[in-house]
Amino acid sequence: LADVNYVRQKQALGLGHAVLRSKELVGDEPFAVVLSDDIIDAEVPALRQMLDVFEKYKSPVVALMEVPRENISAYGVVAGDVVADYSGRGRLVKLSDMVEKPKADVAPSNLAIIGRYILTPDIFHAIETITPGAGGELQLTDAIKLLLKTRAVYGYVFEGTRYDAGDKFGF
């Protein structure tokens, strides 16, 4: 059986703030963030696919999905280079930049961050360092972008189908 712990975010101050609320609970261990409105149907769970990347590279990993350009402004979007020596058939990207909800004409790619993250405790300092971004909130994307200055961060284009349960049609 598992022990279940939780923290509450009393005010909606952004995903970065929500993650920061877990700092004392997480301590010095890597951890996963799973956004419950992103449902991913996959033979191998998306988080397991990402854990394989984390176990090899010991660096943060975000889930990625290709999104049509006309919808890209609803997501955090990444830029980076495909990691050629990874066995994931072009699915692993070493990130070089991230932008939260860019306009389609300035988005660095069509690779959007989807609600799965494997993070390391250094994310907490990054969140504490950033200022509020898009929507006046502490954006997790901005904190991960700050990490890019000091360490490798990867994105993994997961195998499976994503359903956005926060959207009427996705639900």
Side-chain angles (χ1 to χ4, degrees):
L1 296 176
D3 291 327
V4 176
N5 298 289
Y6 69 94
V7 293
R8 287 190 63 225
Q9 182 187 27
K10 294 179 183 177
Q11 295 178 300
L13 300 175
L15 182 54
H17 177 260
V19 170
L20 184 59
R21 298 276 303 125
S22 70
K23 181 179 178 179
E24 288 184 32
L25 185 63
V26 168
D28 291 329
E29 298 292 324
F31 63 102
V33 175
V34 178
L35 302 186
S36 60
D37 58 347
D38 280 320
I39 311 254
I40 300 173
D41 182 25
E43 187 173 321
V44 175
L47 202 54
R48 175 71 261 169
Q49 295 173 49
M50 295 168 64
L51 280 168
D52 291 343
V53 173
F54 179 81
E55 289 168 356
K56 180 169 180 154
Y57 295 97
K58 305 296 186 224
S59 292
V61 183
V62 300
L64 299 177
M65 181 178 89
E66 289 187 36
V67 172
R69 283 274 178 183
E70 62 268 17
N71 299 336
I72 204 72
S73 64
Y75 299 90
V77 181
V78 303
D81 298 309
V82 172
V83 177
D85 69 342
Y86 188 72
S87 63
R89 299 178 307 282
R91 294 181 172 277
L92 184 63
V93 178
K94 186 174 183 185
L95 304 184
S96 59
D97 196 13
M98 307 175 88
V99 181
E100 184 63 28
K101 298 180 172 73
K103 293 182 179 180
D105 59 338
V106 295
S109 75
N110 70 334
L111 292 176
I113 302 168
I114 302 303
R116 302 285 184 279
Y117 306 79
I118 298 175
L119 300 171
T120 49
D122 51 351
I123 193 65
F124 298 121
H125 177 70
I127 296 168
E128 291 167 335
T129 303
I130 62 171
T131 57
E137 299 178 341
L138 287 176
Q139 298 293 339
L140 185 57
T141 302
D142 293 342
I144 296 171
K145 182 176 179 172
L146 183 60
L147 282 184
L148 288 173
K149 294 180 179 184
T150 58
R151 68 170 311 153
V153 178
Y154 294 90
Y156 187 74
V157 181
F158 62 87
E159 295 181 55
T161 303
R162 175 213 179 217
Y163 300 95
D164 182 356
D167 173 81
K168 185 162 91 172
F169 295 109
F171 184 75

